[in-house]
Amino acid sequence: MIFIKKPKFKDAYSRPRHEMVKKQIAARGIIDPRVIAVMEELPRHLFVPQEFGGKAYADCPLPIGEKQTISQPFMVAFMTELLDLKGNEKVLEIGTGSGYQTAVLCKLAEQVYSVERIPSLLVKARKTLESLNIHNAGLKVFDGTMGWKDYAPYDAIMVTAGGPEAPKPLMDQLKPGGRLIMPIGGKTQQVLHMLVKTDSGIKTTTHSLCTFVNLIGEYGWKENGNG
Ligand code: SAH
C-alpha cells in the first residue's frame, strides 16, 4: 500500500491530478515516491493545447499539434521509474514534444538536455518550462537520433518516440553503467526496451507493448514513410 501525500489542491486541476496519480499511476504499480510526488505537483494541463485542457489528466495520450502527442501519464511514470534517477544525473531526452516529460526529468535529475526535431513544438515547450521556473533543461532543434555530443556522456537517455533500433550515436553517448530507455519495434507498435551499458556489453530488458509516434531521423525512420 502506497501512501500518497494529500495534495494541497493549489489549482483547479489539483483534484483531477491527484486522481490521475492515484488511479492511473500508483494503482498500476508505480512505487518510486519521487516519481509520484513530481506527477502530483506538475501542472500537466499547461503542456497540452488549451482545447484539451479538460482531458489533461485523462488516461491517454493527447495531440499537441504537428501530428505529435504528449504521452499517456502512466507511460511517463513507467519510463521515468525505470530510469531510477537519484537527483545527480545528466539526462538526455529525445523528443521534447510538449516538454512535460522534460519537466518530470528536470525535477528528478540534475541537468536535462532535450532534443526535438519540430521547431514550433520546441518553442512552445521552452515557454512552458520557463513559465514554471524550470531552468535546468538545455533544449535544441536537431535530429535526436544523432544525440547531443556537446554534453555527452550521459547517465541516462530517454527516447520518447519509437524507432527500429537504438540509435548507435545514443549508445556511444551513454556513460559506462548508463541506461537508455526507448520504444523499439515497428511503426505502429513497439516494445519498451531498457538497454544498460555494462563492462561485458549491452544488457537489454524488455517491458510492455506501447505505441509511440515515429522517431524520424538518420538512425530512425525516414520521413517519407517507407522506412
Ligand atoms: N516527451 C514528449 C512526447 C512527444 S512525442 C511529451 O511529453 O510531450 C515524440 C516527439 O519526438 C515528437 O514531438 C516528435 O517530433 C519528436 N521526434 C521524432 N523524431 C525525432 C528526432 N529524430 N529527434 C528529435 N525529436 C524527434
Side-chain angles (χ1 to χ4, degrees):
M1 172 88 182
I2 304 162
F3 176 69
I4 307 172
K5 215 169 99 190
K6 203 164 175 240
K8 294 181 200 105
F9 297 118
K10 285 179 292 197
D11 59 56
Y13 290 91
S14 299
R15 197 174 290 275
R17 189 158 61 240
H18 183 59
E19 290 295 300
M20 170 193 86
V21 170
K22 208 165 80 176
K23 293 183 182 155
Q24 301 172 35
I25 291 171
R28 291 190 188 140
I30 302 297
I31 53 170
D32 185 335
R34 296 181 74 232
V35 174
I36 289 182
V38 75
M39 293 192 67
E40 184 79 73
E41 168 199 339
L42 271 178
R44 184 175 159 91
H45 59 278
L46 299 182
F47 292 86
V48 305
Q50 233 171 2
E51 65 265 35
F52 293 114
K55 285 190 173 170
Y57 298 97
D59 191 14
C60 55
L62 291 171
I64 53 170
E66 307 280 356
K67 298 189 187 140
Q68 308 303 319
T69 54
I70 178 174
S71 303
Q72 176 198 27
F74 173 74
M75 194 47 81
V76 172
F78 188 55
M79 290 173 80
T80 307
E81 186 174 68
L82 280 172
L83 283 188
D84 194 24
L85 299 169
K86 302 295 182 213
N88 56 355
E89 296 87 354
K90 184 167 47 160
V91 180
L92 175 67
E93 180 196 22
I94 308 304
T96 317
S98 68
Y100 178 69
Q101 175 73 74
T102 318
V104 170
L105 294 171
C106 283
K107 296 274 180 188
L108 298 176
E110 190 170 307
Q111 180 69 39
V112 177
Y113 294 93
S114 185
V115 182
E116 169 58 53
R117 62 180 282 274
I118 301 177
S120 62
L121 293 179
L122 196 85
V123 167
K124 198 149 179 284
R126 190 190 298 280
K127 276 195 195 142
T128 313
L129 292 168
E130 277 171 7
S131 75
L132 292 170
N133 276 323
I134 295 174
H135 300 298
N136 57 333
L139 307 173
K140 82 163 171 176
V141 173
F142 197 60
D143 173 7
T145 69
M146 306 296 290
W148 193 341
K149 232 175 167 181
D150 301 358
Y151 300 103
Y154 300 96
D155 298 287
I157 300 179
M158 181 186 286
V159 185
T160 63
E165 61 189 1
K168 182 173 183 305
L170 297 186
M171 294 313 294
D172 292 344
Q173 291 173 29
L174 207 50
K175 274 186 197 171
R179 47 212 183 276
L180 175 144
I181 182 135
M182 172 178 169
I184 297 179
K187 283 186 171 175
T188 52
Q189 198 172 53
Q190 308 88 31
V191 175
L192 202 56
H193 280 62
M194 166 98 132
L195 285 78
V196 182
K197 201 174 194 177
T198 73
D199 290 343
S200 53
I202 292 166
K203 264 200 184 155
T204 303
T205 47
T206 54
H207 298 272
S208 56
L209 276 175
C210 51
T211 298
F212 277 77
V213 298
N214 291 341
L215 179 72
I216 294 169
E218 184 68 26
Y219 290 83
W221 301 108
K222 300 292 171 261
E223 197 161 6
N224 63 15
N226 60 14

